[in-house]
Amino acid sequence: MEMHAYSSDYLETAQKNLGDMLDFAANTCDLNLNSFYQMFLSSRVAEQFGKGNPRYVAGMNGAELTWEVLKAAQEKLPNQKPAFYLDKSPEYWCGWSLAWYQWLTARSFRKIQRLIPIEEVLCMYPTHHEADIERFRETMDELCRKRHQQSYLQWYRTLCGLSVQDLSEMSGVSEDKIVRMEENLSLINSAPAQEVWRLATALGRNVEEILEI
């Protein structure tokens, strides 16, 4: 049985709103898509949207989500008024598809971006936007399988510039266990919750970010 990120009741609205957010940011506000998406990933908006918080997936339209992201990044708010069009842009499709894939897999937007940058998703538009969305899933799943060679634990540890010994001392989890978690991608999912929490805290991450989901 697949576990989705949140109730399917919100999915259609979430897809539309994330699509509208990227479309509004890129095509109405003339913001660089990659730069804006990085702001989104760094904000509370991405985390709460990915968890299905109704305030974010259904309580704000695309323009309001854009403003929320820019406020979190302490960027100047654009003067442009909300404008959403019947003819959907590649950026809209990109957000619409990513919202669906994130809901489907329950992976965070940050984890998806780590393996498949948004620019690459956007490049799928010509060959995927008229196809069944299952084709998008197949492409994304295949890319994830090929590229996910390093555990999230090891990736975040390296990103923080920590050795296994450093992380062991900071978390209280043995070096041997950390090595085994990094080499066996599924081992961390069955580790004691307190150990996982200590590792995540030492890395400055939420528990969900270092789990293999």
Side-chain angles (χ1 to χ4, degrees):
M1 180 179 176
E2 288 185 306
M3 297 295 293
H4 301 312
Y6 49 87
S7 170
S8 60
D9 293 343
Y10 291 112
L11 179 58
E12 186 175 347
T13 303
Q15 287 182 263
K16 178 184 181 301
N17 287 341
L18 201 69
D20 281 338
M21 181 190 79
L22 294 187
D23 178 68
F24 179 71
N27 298 313
T28 301
C29 301
D30 295 320
L31 298 172
N32 177 273
L33 180 65
N34 184 54
S35 298
F36 175 77
Y37 196 69
Q38 292 297 334
M39 286 187 259
F40 169 69
L41 293 177
S42 300
S43 72
R44 174 181 171 83
V45 181
E47 178 188 353
Q48 293 301 309
F49 195 103
K51 291 179 177 179
N53 184 328
R55 176 170 181 257
Y56 293 90
V57 297
M60 298 183 188
N61 63 33
E64 290 167 335
L65 287 169
T66 300
W67 295 330
E68 193 80 3
V69 169
L70 293 175
K71 283 190 290 185
Q74 298 184 328
E75 293 285 337
K76 182 180 178 181
L77 298 185
N79 296 321
Q80 291 89 336
K81 294 182 179 179
F84 307 113
Y85 309 101
L86 291 177
D87 293 332
K88 300 305 183 184
S89 67
E91 290 81 8
Y92 175 91
W93 175 85
C94 192
W96 181 87
S97 301
L98 279 170
W100 179 80
Y101 190 71
Q102 188 276 325
W103 167 82
L104 182 77
T105 61
R107 298 185 188 120
S108 68
F109 287 106
R110 191 188 297 267
K111 284 184 176 180
I112 296 170
Q113 170 74 4
R114 176 199 159 200
L115 297 174
I116 310 168
I118 193 168
E119 311 97 290
E120 190 171 354
V121 176
L122 190 61
C123 288
M124 297 178 194
Y125 175 79
T127 56
H128 287 69
H129 78 282
E130 292 184 344
D132 188 283
I133 198 166
E134 281 296 327
R135 183 180 176 189
F136 177 72
R137 175 187 186 171
E138 291 167 3
T139 300
M140 295 288 283
D141 284 350
E142 181 62 22
L143 289 171
C144 287
R145 278 193 294 270
K146 288 180 178 177
R147 296 175 183 177
H148 189 38
Q149 304 297 321
Q150 185 183 55
S151 70
Y152 294 117
L153 177 62
Q154 183 177 5
W155 187 69
Y156 281 121
R157 176 179 63 76
T158 303
L159 195 65
C160 291
L162 299 174
S163 67
V164 172
Q165 182 180 358
D166 292 334
L167 183 56
S168 176
E169 291 173 355
M170 293 170 66
S171 66
V173 179
S174 72
E175 291 183 42
D176 177 65
K177 193 155 194 179
I178 292 173
V179 169
R180 285 189 284 116
M181 285 180 182
E182 291 186 347
E183 292 178 347
N184 183 337
L185 298 188
S186 62
L187 187 60
I188 194 169
N189 291 346
S190 58
Q194 186 64 19
E195 289 187 355
V196 179
W197 180 83
R198 293 204 304 267
L199 288 167
T201 301
L203 294 170
R205 303 292 168 180
N206 296 322
V207 167
E208 294 87 352
E209 291 186 88
I210 66 171
L211 292 174
E212 293 296 325
I213 55 174

